[in-house]
Amino acid sequence: MVINGYQGTGSVTQGRARTVNGNLFTCDGGRSRVAAVGVQTDSAGNQWTVPSENQFLTAQQAPDLYNECSGVTPSDLSQVDLDAIPVVEIDADGEIITGYVFADNYFELYINGKLIGVDSVPFTPFNSNIVKFRVKRPYDIGVKLVDWEENLGLGSEDNRGKSFHAGDGGFIASFSDGTVTSNQWFAQTFYTSPIYDLSCLKEQNQLRDSSSCFAGGTDDGESAYAVHWPLPENWQLAAFDYRHWPQASTYSEDDIGVNNKKAYMNFREKFAGAGATFIWSSNVVLDNQVLLKYRVE
Ligand SMILES: [Ca+2]
Ligand SMILES: [Ca+2]
Ligand SMILES: [Ca+2]
């Protein structure tokens, strides 16, 4: 079906989603944007959860590295009690691995298909987490990432003087076995918005390319389109074959804008300092729900 110039493989919706949860999270110690969840319906009657189906309210949250909402605000790693971090067991005879994770805005981390933890702040303020797990090599990492949005289904937030500012994402992590985020990871988008002109979207093989689309802000964003793709069944399992996905795109600290974010800067030695780089799919502004996969050999 061709909708206003769109000929890709996704499903198109237009306009604001119906809110199904008005706010997942409020912050006691700082300011938080409303982290709501909505549903959009496409012309075929399919329902799409935006910005993403998630387990924030039901799953174990990963321990805080830095989270002003829970009063965990170390100024550097020496103030972090790593021994207090519980170990999630995957292989009883495996190695204990510690991971440091920063997501703009939300992550759910799987190792060999087992959920290790979810981000403890879905939208803002910016936070970071520590995880520990016991596993044998080789092992498989799967991450669901969400660039959260204020205007549900419209891919935007009130920011930088515009009512419909298209915010950006970003993800960086390092692990004590030397594993770091890089362009060797694989990334695919499953929700892209706002799109004001569907003809800007291109697809080549598995690349869902929105690089020609407008990514700025506007005060007139209520009629924006969004494009959705269903998440593959069992994507989080180690056996899932993702090698047809595009490789992750890398982004600099300046691209993501972390120099004023203590959740990142206070532990920079465990992020960029450990050789990790920010990654996302090919569009860190318009792609709002992204899956990552990586195999540690
Ligand atoms: Ca977060
Ligand atoms: Ca964001
Ligand atoms: Ca975005």
Side-chain angles (χ1 to χ4, degrees), residues 7-294:
Q7 299 183 56
T9 58
S11 295
V12 174
T13 57
Q14 186 175 22
R16 194 175 283 269
R18 174 174 57 87
T19 301
V20 294
N21 188 318
N23 191 8
L24 300 181
F25 178 74
T26 48
C27 180
D28 294 329
R31 274 188 46 191
S32 58
R33 286 180 182 271
V34 171
V37 176
V39 167
Q40 281 175 305
T41 305
D42 66 27
S43 60
N46 301 306
Q47 295 206 320
W48 301 92
T49 299
V50 289
S52 173
E53 287 188 17
N54 66 85
Q55 302 172 77
F56 178 75
L57 294 177
T58 54
Q60 184 68 45
Q61 291 174 13
D64 289 316
L65 177 57
Y66 188 99
N67 179 357
E68 55 193 85
C69 300
S70 50
V72 178
T73 57
S75 55
D76 60 51
L77 265 181
S78 72
Q79 298 181 0
V80 178
D81 182 5
L82 291 175
D83 293 336
I85 305 300
V87 178
V88 178
E89 187 159 293
I90 298 155
D91 298 316
D93 54 346
E95 168 194 356
I96 293 180
I97 295 170
T98 305
Y100 302 85
V101 182
F102 174 93
D104 180 347
N105 296 92
Y106 175 77
F107 73 88
E108 297 183 349
L109 172 68
Y110 293 86
I111 302 292
N112 286 352
K114 184 181 177 100
L115 184 61
I116 301 300
V118 305
D119 197 328
S120 43
V121 181
F123 198 170
T124 63
F126 289 96
N127 65 305
S128 48
N129 293 92
I130 316 179
V131 293
K132 267 191 189 178
F133 49 90
R134 187 192 292 273
V135 72
K136 281 196 302 193
R137 290 177 181 235
Y139 67 92
D140 176 273
I141 303 176
V143 190
K144 177 189 276 188
L145 294 172
V146 184
D147 176 26
W148 220 279
E149 59 196 24
E150 225 163 31
N151 302 313
L152 292 176
L154 303 174
S156 59
E157 61 200 36
D158 185 353
N159 206 343
R160 312 214 177 173
K162 297 288 185 186
S163 302
F164 302 89
H165 169 80
D168 65 358
F171 178 77
I172 190 167
S174 82
F175 299 85
S176 57
D177 63 349
T179 302
V180 292
T181 46
S182 75
N183 65 0
Q184 298 303 300
W185 292 45
F186 290 76
Q188 183 60 291
T189 180
F190 294 89
Y191 167 48
T192 300
S193 179
I195 300 297
Y196 298 106
D197 174 359
L198 289 165
S199 66
C200 67
L201 291 163
K202 303 189 174 40
E203 288 183 42
Q204 188 174 22
N205 299 321
Q206 284 278 316
L207 180 63
R208 298 165 180 170
D209 179 6
S210 53
S211 59
S212 301
C213 302
F214 176 69
T218 175
D219 287 321
D220 178 22
E222 286 290 347
S223 59
Y225 296 101
V227 186
H228 315 260
W229 293 265
L231 268 51
E233 193 104 350
N234 296 325
W235 69 269
Q236 63 274 56
L237 300 186
F240 176 71
D241 185 0
Y242 53 85
R243 287 168 298 180
H244 54 290
W245 284 3
Q247 282 181 259
S249 295
T250 60
Y251 300 90
S252 70
E253 291 173 323
D254 285 347
D255 290 336
I256 307 300
V258 287
N259 64 353
N260 61 348
K261 295 184 172 69
K262 291 180 179 172
Y264 176 86
M265 293 303 287
N266 288 7
F267 320 97
R268 189 173 176 275
E269 66 192 275
K270 291 296 183 187
F271 295 120
T277 184
F278 280 96
I279 58 174
W280 201 257
S281 60
S282 61
N283 195 324
V284 75
V285 176
L286 299 182
D287 293 342
N288 302 320
Q289 180 185 226
V290 168
L291 297 182
L292 300 178
K293 290 287 279 187
Y294 182 71

